[in-house]
């Protein structure tokens, strides 16, 4: 007896979604794990790193940029 399976595929598009927020930036100290605040540009977190370095002597940081996306069915796939 043969097995039969049906799959239906649709084309999806993925686009940056800025309806709620643009990209957000946050930096973190690699030594103690403390994090900057979240900001709409990297400038605030950059200044936080410099201030944190001055206060603690910690010199290694990482930065994360979070961008929001929304998937939608491509035209003609509905
Ligand atoms: Zn630190």
């Amino acid at each position: 007896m043969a097995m039969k399976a049906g799959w239906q595929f649709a084309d999806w598009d993925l686009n940056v979604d800025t309806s709620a927020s643009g990209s957000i930036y946050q930096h973190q100290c690699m030594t103690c794990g403390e994090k900057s605040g979240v900001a709409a540009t990297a400038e605030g977190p950059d200044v936080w790193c410099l201030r944190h370095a001055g206060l603690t002597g910690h010199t290694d940081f990482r930065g994360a940029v979070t961008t929001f996306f929304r998937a939608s069915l491509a035209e003609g796939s509905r």
Side-chain angles (χ1 to χ4, degrees):
M1 183 171 159
M3 294 209 30
K4 198 169 182 178
W7 295 89
Q8 185 172 4
F9 293 97
D11 292 328
W12 287 78
D13 290 330
L14 190 65
N15 294 294
V16 172
D17 179 12
T18 57
S19 61
S21 168
S23 295
I24 55 175
Y25 298 77
Q26 185 174 45
H27 297 349
Q28 181 176 22
C29 175
M30 297 296 290
T31 303
C32 71
E34 192 172 330
K35 293 179 180 177
S36 71
V38 174
T41 68
E43 186 179 350
D46 286 353
V47 170
W48 176 86
C49 289
L50 297 175
R51 187 173 296 133
H52 188 78
L55 290 171
T56 64
H58 300 162
T59 56
D60 297 321
F61 300 91
R62 69 177 177 191
V65 181
T66 302
T67 302
F68 301 93
F69 298 92
R70 181 178 300 272
S72 59
L73 281 171
E75 285 294 320
S77 290
R78 292 165 197 257

